[in-house]
Amino acid sequence: MLNVALFMFMYIMSFHLVMNSDDWFMVWFGLEINMMVFIIFMYNYNSMMSIESCLKYFFIQGLGSAIFMSVFYISSEWLSMILCMLLSYKIGAGPFFFWFPSVCSGISWISCYVLMTLQKVIPLMLMSIFMSWVMYLIVIVSLSFGVLGSFNQSDLKQLIAYSSVYHLGWILLCNLSDDIFWLNYLLMYMLMIFPVVNLLSWLNISNLISIMKMKYKKWFIVLMLSMSGMPPFLGFFLKWFAFVSIFKFEFSFMMFLIICSVVMFYVYFRVIYDVLLTFFSEMMWGNLLVFQKNEFYLDLVGSVGLMLGLFFSFFFMM
């Protein structure tokens, strides 16, 4: 317990150092502490894939930190552009997304959740300070490859990882609106993806074949519908909030966003299509009402997306 408390303290301190420092060296120091604590968190000596992912993450982040230190000596006219590209490399945004799915596929679901959410806060906060035209390129590539990479994925960790790259494009787009709305989007994304990670981690499922044999197909279907953006789930209002924030962009760019959203909906619906067929062939609707004590926690967490979606729908109607 003492070790866990120490690691949690160091992790929180890394955020404090970056957010409350006006010295570039202290910002770099906070990023390094954040990286090392997360590597310790995702390390599992019983899994070779986990060790490989830790090494990948260390080398990638170490290279990014070395470039980050050299940026201190670059003239100011190139500083914003280079920092935006560098920070997008550290969080796995386009066009530097190549390492992100590979690292996610080798670590636990909880580590994936932290990597897809909390590990993005510090770089995104720094990117909100240094705006550049290159952000539009990063957004377009993140959305495009997030959608294309999700096709025909049988590994659920890689599917969620490419989905995270896709949502990262939306977060950066909200960041371009000169508002703190990107943080609201990230918090809502954390709430949306937590039940998914909790379900798959609890059942120890990492591929689509295992889902056909799982017991709790109904919650997997509900959570995938939320991830796809089906109303009235939370994922729908996540996109709605984003469209409200970025409404000032031109029509052609908005159409590109709508097309990406429709294609991602198709990707998620393909994932749940076979699950729907097996679900209805194995169970009757009346069996869904049978209460089992060991399912209460899973039912509670699984319904979070639906409850939050209904809350936001009532909020907008008022």
Side-chain angles (χ1 to χ4, degrees):
M1 287 298 294
L2 182 61
N3 292 335
V4 174
L6 178 61
F7 289 143
M8 288 299 298
F9 174 75
M10 292 177 64
Y11 193 71
I12 296 172
M13 279 301 298
S14 67
F15 285 87
H16 177 76
L17 281 173
V18 175
M19 295 179 181
N20 295 278
S21 178
D22 55 356
D23 186 6
W24 278 114
F25 179 79
M26 295 305 295
V27 172
W28 169 82
F29 188 62
L31 287 170
E32 292 304 293
I33 294 176
N34 183 270
M35 176 191 70
M36 296 306 298
V37 173
F38 179 68
I39 289 175
I40 295 172
F41 174 74
M42 69 177 182
Y43 174 74
N44 181 8
Y45 64 89
N46 292 321
S47 173
M48 288 301 296
M49 292 185 65
S50 174
I51 297 173
E52 180 183 349
S53 294
C54 289
L55 290 174
K56 287 179 182 177
Y57 187 78
F58 174 76
F59 288 131
I60 290 166
Q61 298 297 321
L63 176 61
S65 298
I67 300 174
F68 187 80
M69 290 191 68
S70 64
V71 168
F72 301 160
Y73 306 100
I74 296 178
S75 61
S76 58
E77 62 183 49
W78 295 98
L79 182 62
S80 297
M81 184 186 71
I82 295 176
L83 275 176
C84 286
M85 296 291 287
L86 175 62
L87 293 170
S88 69
Y89 166 78
K90 290 181 74 69
I91 60 178
F96 308 106
F97 65 93
F98 53 88
W99 64 268
F100 194 80
S102 178
V103 171
C104 286
S105 62
I107 57 180
S108 66
W109 277 110
I110 303 301
S111 300
C112 281
Y113 178 75
V114 177
L115 181 60
M116 290 185 290
T117 54
L118 294 177
Q119 287 299 105
K120 297 185 186 320
V121 173
I122 294 178
L124 286 171
M125 184 196 67
L126 293 174
M127 290 179 78
S128 64
I129 300 173
F130 299 97
M131 288 294 178
S132 174
W133 63 268
V134 78
M135 288 278 284
Y136 292 96
L137 174 64
I138 296 171
V139 167
I140 293 173
V141 175
S142 297
L143 292 171
S144 301
F145 282 92
V147 170
L148 295 175
S150 301
F151 274 96
N152 298 324
Q153 283 290 344
S154 59
D155 190 326
L156 288 175
K157 288 181 180 177
Q158 292 213 9
L159 175 63
I160 301 298
Y162 278 109
S163 175
S164 178
V165 174
Y166 166 75
H167 281 282
L168 192 55
W170 285 89
I171 294 172
L172 294 174
L173 200 56
C174 295
N175 209 339
L176 286 169
S177 64
D178 298 328
D179 198 358
I180 201 171
F181 188 79
W182 68 268
L183 184 58
N184 297 333
Y185 189 103
L186 181 60
L187 292 174
M188 292 176 66
Y189 175 71
M190 291 171 65
L191 291 174
M192 180 183 68
I193 201 175
F194 174 74
V196 180
V197 173
N198 180 77
L199 175 67
L200 298 176
S201 175
W202 190 60
L203 299 175
N204 193 24
I205 291 175
S206 60
N207 57 70
L208 291 176
I209 298 175
S210 302
I211 292 176
M212 304 304 170
K213 305 175 184 179
M214 68 184 290
K215 182 180 179 182
Y216 305 100
K217 294 185 179 70
K218 61 181 184 293
W219 285 124
F220 179 79
I221 294 169
V222 169
L223 295 173
M224 287 296 103
L225 287 174
S226 178
M227 291 284 291
S228 66
M230 172 76 78
F233 297 103
L234 182 60
F236 170 74
F237 294 97
L238 191 66
K239 298 289 179 62
W240 189 357
F241 286 164
F243 274 114
V244 171
S245 174
I246 62 180
F247 195 70
K248 65 181 182 179
F249 290 101
E250 62 182 43
F251 179 75
S252 58
F253 196 78
M254 297 290 287
M255 286 302 299
F256 170 72
L257 298 176
I258 293 172
I259 292 172
C260 288
S261 299
V262 172
V263 175
M264 281 302 293
F265 179 84
Y266 169 75
V267 169
Y268 280 111
F269 197 79
R270 282 193 62 184
V271 170
I272 67 174
Y273 179 74
D274 293 333
V275 182
L276 278 170
L277 295 180
T278 57
F279 174 69
F280 288 121
S281 64
E282 293 175 1
M283 298 185 65
M284 299 295 292
W285 280 106
N287 295 336
L288 299 181
L289 302 178
V290 178
F291 177 79
Q292 296 184 16
K293 187 176 180 180
N294 60 345
E295 296 180 4
F296 176 74
Y297 171 72
L298 185 63
D299 292 345
L300 180 64
V301 176
S303 59
V304 166
L306 179 59
M307 291 188 295
L308 288 175
L310 292 174
F311 168 77
F312 284 113
S313 64
F314 288 131
F315 176 77
F316 275 107
M317 285 189 295
M318 294 176 60

